[in-house]
Amino acid sequence: MAAIAKQLTSENKQKYKTLIELADAHCHLYALQSGAIGDAVAAGVTTMISNGVDTKSNLKTLEIYDGRHVFPALGIHPDYAESMSNDEVEYNISLIRENRSIIKSIGEIGLDFAHVNGVKGVEKQTALFRTLVDLAMELNLPVSVHSRNAMPQVMHILKEKEAEAVHLHFFEGNANDAIEAGRRGYVVSIPPLKSNSRISAIKAIPIENLMAETDSPTANSVPSDVSKSVSIIAEAKGMQYEDAARVLTENTKRFFNISTAKFMRNAGP
Ligand SMILES: [Zn+2]
């Protein structure tokens, strides 16, 4: 009996959880199975920001967005800064310009000094990052930024450019970086991976500046794993899961300018 009761409780909990609307602030849906979007929506993940990283994935991202649950971000990941020709960079920039009205962010862009070939590589990554931040500011779009082993340089360039709509994804910074990000009004997204430094970073930044993400398929995750990111944030903030989920989903929609008005057709007179 006890075992059945326990099972029912956890089933109910699961059911209740699925009623809570979640948002995945950063994923790569082009790299997931085609059923992944339906599975995510069924699990309550009703908003997903799907990021491209190169020409092929940017084009695929434009194919799979639906403007209802899936919203596109287009960018060039720093891993491609060295190998991509200038013509191909220009092609991706024109793709972003042409699709300005549907894309929600320029991402994934940034700096990755864990994957870089010497000074030349650093220069190429930095130049590409600067170009794409300029483009985002010109088009009045946010940036979704990847930073690995490069937090001081990323923060320096964003400050120099006076970028305001900044999303630091898979946040790798420490508590001081989080405080500085919060001070500048940036938002930071947290993956479903717990670490001590991430917990102190979450504690150091207001909940209004946080979002949950999966970066799926990284670490074999899928968008519904965003519930784990929400749990990590809720625990660090001492909040109920449901309250944290509501605020984080609102933050994500607000940051990416996603209107929910179309779901409220019957609300007016
Ligand atoms: Zn990513």
Side-chain angles (χ1 to χ4, degrees), residues 27-219:
C27 56
H28 300 275
L29 294 177
Y30 61 84
L32 289 163
Q33 310 279 9
S34 58
I37 295 171
D39 290 350
V41 173
V45 187
T46 51
T47 302
M48 289 163 262
I49 311 296
S50 187
N51 287 239
V53 294
D54 63 358
T55 307
K56 215 173 149 189
S57 59
N58 281 332
L59 290 169
K60 189 88 192 281
T61 300
L62 288 171
E63 258 171 48
I64 57 180
Y65 97 97
D66 62 13
R68 185 169 184 217
H69 298 302
V70 179
F71 299 90
L74 303 188
I76 304 169
H77 191 285
D79 284 358
Y80 300 93
E82 285 174 78
S83 58
M84 199 180 276
S85 69
N86 288 340
D87 282 353
E88 201 175 343
V89 170
E90 284 309 317
Y91 172 74
N92 282 284
I93 289 175
S94 62
L95 206 59
I96 291 169
R97 288 185 184 282
E98 281 163 23
N99 292 284
R100 163 65 186 88
S101 61
I102 57 157
I103 66 178
K104 294 295 180 186
S105 183
I106 295 193
E108 174 167 358
I109 63 172
L111 298 176
D112 193 323
F113 293 163
H115 299 125
V116 72
N117 288 318
V119 180
K120 262 251 154 69
V122 169
E123 279 172 5
K124 276 208 139 178
Q125 280 195 17
T126 306
L128 179 63
F129 181 46
R130 285 175 183 277
T131 300
L132 295 171
V133 173
D134 284 340
L135 179 67
M137 291 176 71
E138 181 206 320
L139 299 178
N140 200 19
L141 280 168
V143 283
S144 289
V145 180
H146 167 105
S147 169
R148 189 179 295 169
N149 299 355
M151 192 52 76
Q153 292 85 349
V154 159
M155 293 296 272
H156 175 79
I157 290 171
L158 292 169
K159 188 173 190 178
E160 184 198 287
K161 296 282 181 195
E162 296 180 25
E164 286 176 2
V166 174
H167 163 209
L168 301 173
H169 114 86
F170 215 107
F171 192 61
E172 65 154 14
N174 58 29
N176 285 336
D177 297 322
I179 291 167
E180 178 60 17
R183 204 177 279 147
R184 294 187 194 178
Y186 297 175
V187 291
V188 155
S189 65
I190 302 299
L193 296 169
K194 221 174 180 176
S195 78
N196 287 339
S197 76
R198 203 164 279 129
I199 288 169
S200 27
I202 296 168
K203 285 182 175 166
I205 190 167
I207 184 82
E208 287 72 27
N209 299 72
L210 283 165
M211 304 192 293
E213 67 152 292
T214 60
D215 203 21
S216 52
T218 297

